[in-house]
Amino acid sequence: MAASLGPKPLVAVGQVTSTPDKEQNFSGCAALVRAAARRGACLVFLPEGFDYIGRDSAQTLSLAESLDGDLMVRYSTLARDCGVWLSLGGFHERRADWPSTQRIYNCHVLLDPTGRLAAAYRKTHLCDVELEGRVTMKESSFTNPGTEIVPPISTPAGMLGLSICYDLRFPEISLALRHAGAEILTYPSAFTFPTGSAHWEVLLRARAIETQCYVVAAAQTGRNHEGRVSYGHTLVADPWGAVVAQCSEGPGLCYAEIDLEYLRRVRREIPVQSHRRADLYGTVGLQAALSVP
């Protein structure tokens, strides 16, 4: 399907290799943000764990900060200096309950071009998986789950819906955001190789197709430390499900124009939102259960 003509907002999507070294990570991310701003991007996306990726849960907890800590102050200054929106997915956040829980939150932070906090979404689906002999993760052992889906936020590129990594496996959250007005869904991530090679692109394209949204997925890539390698393949999918931008190997950026007229055309031609049967979903087996004496 052909896109519409005319100027369109440009977004930049980052791919990084975070380590436990927070200063090194900030330096690399800041360089990408500045490069994107020079290119004319209005919105820059960084992946889950952009701040750091710890070697183990103890290090992960020890390095965490609050949203008013030094690192987020530096990113706020960066957004203001570059005049861009920043989507910072997967910030390791200490909140007021840290002394009692000794757990953190996986927080997707959105900063506006003045450096103001525009939104904060805390990951609701925690990644507890065990692939025998390959990958074991138990995010819930050191992370508290978020308790709400944040309404889409108005940005120069469109209405932005916030999620994080493992949320990608749950179409319910993407459909809820679409129903609330989202035009762009974002999944900052740190997929492993076994799961990424099997599921990454197909899940992202599926979320784009079923919601008829742009899907933006910044990703970790390469060896984060001696015990972890991330899959990479940062990409943008359009509302038709086509991959319109993708990073190659290693840290870097890819760029995509967001064409909201094209999005509206896709939604007009296949109006799935108006075809949804909300009166039926969630009722499977209910009538049979009610009729049991």
Side-chain angles (χ1 to χ4, degrees), residues 128-157:
D128 289 0
V129 301
E130 186 167 355
L131 307 182
E132 189 172 350
R134 293 182 291 170
V135 175
T136 298
M137 298 182 68
K138 194 167 180 60
E139 190 174 17
S140 66
S141 67
F142 59 90
T143 307
N144 289 315
T147 58
E148 64 177 341
I149 300 171
V150 174
I153 302 96
S154 179
T155 77

